[in-house]
Amino acid sequence: MRRMITMAIAIMIGSLLFAQENQNNEQQTLFGNKRGFGGFIGLNSQAAQINGQEAYLTGAELNMVLGHSLNIGVKGMGLVSDIESNTFNDDGDAYKLQMGYGGVNIEPVIASKSVLHVTTPLFLGIGGIAETYDPLWEGDIINGVETAFDQKPHRTDMFLMAEPGVNLELNVFKFMRLTGGVSYKFVTDTQIPGIETSDIEGLSANLSLRLGWF
C-alpha cells in the first residue's frame, strides 16, 4: 500500500516537470488534437487503508465539463476487500466490515488542453459502514440458498465525508482520459464500537478511466 502511494506521488511530481500549459484553442492528445466538451463517465478504483488493513474500493462517476476547466458531478464508491472489524461474533470470529459512500465531486482542471495536466478534485458526500457476519461476496448456504446478499448487519452507522486530492490526467484520445493521483479522506465520528475515525480516514491512491466529451 505504501509502495503504491509513494509511486503515485513520485509519478505525479516527475510528470509535473514535463507538463506545460497550452494557450491554443485545440486540445492536445496522444493521438491527435481535437476539441471536446460536455461530460463524461469515469470508472474508478482506489487503494487505501481501512482499520489498518489494505483495502480496495471501486465505483463510478458522472460529470459535466464546464469550459474545459471544471468538472462537476456525482460519484459513488464501495469496498470490495475482505476487511475485519475489531469485534467478534459468538463463534469467536471477527465481524467483516462493509463500507460505501456517494456524493458530489467538484474538480478544477488546470491546462486541460495539454496532453498531461493537473486536476484538484474535492469530493463531499455521505457514507455508511456496517459489521456483517460474512464478507460481501461470501455467505452461508441455508437450505440450498446463498445468503450473501441477505445478511443482516450486526451494527451500522453513517458518516459525512470530505476528500480533497490532486491528480495527473492524460489525454489519450479526444474521448478518453486516464487519471491517477492521491487523495485524503476526512470523516465524522462513527458510533460502531472499536471503529475509530482514524480507522477510516487517511491517504488513498486513485486510478480512473474517463470516457466522454471533454
Side-chain angles (χ1 to χ4, degrees):
M1 172 62 192
R2 292 180 180 176
R3 183 178 298 176
M4 291 180 63
I5 294 176
T6 301
M7 184 178 299
I9 295 174
I11 292 173
M12 179 183 67
I13 294 174
S15 299
L16 279 173
L17 298 177
F18 297 94
Q20 52 182 329
E21 189 158 344
N22 186 336
Q23 300 299 326
N24 296 328
N25 288 326
E26 293 200 355
Q27 174 178 268
Q28 295 181 349
T29 71
L30 287 180
F31 300 99
N33 297 340
K34 298 290 183 181
R35 285 188 174 183
F37 60 91
F40 65 88
I41 59 172
L43 304 176
N44 305 326
S45 61
Q46 184 179 81
Q49 287 271 338
I50 296 178
N51 199 28
Q53 302 161 62
E54 287 194 7
Y56 297 92
L57 300 94
T58 62
E61 60 183 313
L62 179 63
N63 288 270
M64 297 183 299
V65 180
L66 305 178
H68 303 285
S69 61
L70 181 64
N71 303 329
I72 298 179
V74 293
K75 181 174 79 169
M77 299 288 288
L79 178 65
V80 295
S81 297
D82 184 356
I83 302 297
E84 294 187 345
S85 178
N86 296 324
T87 56
F88 298 85
N89 59 33
D90 294 337
D91 296 327
D93 299 321
Y95 285 107
K96 305 300 182 180
L97 288 180
Q98 317 295 346
M99 190 180 81
Y101 55 84
V104 178
N105 190 59
I106 304 169
E107 185 176 21
V109 184
I110 302 171
S112 68
K113 295 171 185 176
S114 296
V115 174
L116 189 65
H117 53 271
V118 176
T119 77
T120 55
L122 173 62
F123 172 82
L124 301 171
I126 186 169
I129 188 168
E131 289 179 328
T132 59
Y133 284 88
D134 297 302
L136 181 64
W137 306 113
E138 298 178 16
D140 297 325
I141 297 179
I142 301 176
N143 296 326
V145 178
E146 173 64 54
T147 64
F149 296 99
D150 266 339
Q151 297 186 76
K152 291 184 178 180
H154 176 61
R155 294 190 184 98
T156 63
D157 196 23
M158 308 292 288
F159 55 84
L160 298 177
M161 176 179 164
E163 186 177 20
V166 59
N167 294 324
L168 278 178
E169 189 167 70
L170 179 67
N171 298 347
V172 182
F173 295 101
K174 65 177 181 179
F175 59 87
M176 178 190 295
R177 292 185 176 185
L178 290 175
T179 305
V182 294
S183 60
Y184 195 97
K185 291 185 182 69
F186 297 94
V187 302
T188 56
D189 289 338
T190 69
Q191 301 302 314
I192 295 181
I195 301 299
E196 306 292 338
T197 300
S198 59
D199 294 327
I200 305 174
E201 287 187 338
L203 197 64
S204 300
N206 306 289
L207 186 64
S208 177
L209 172 65
R210 295 174 165 182
L211 303 170
W213 295 268
F214 302 94

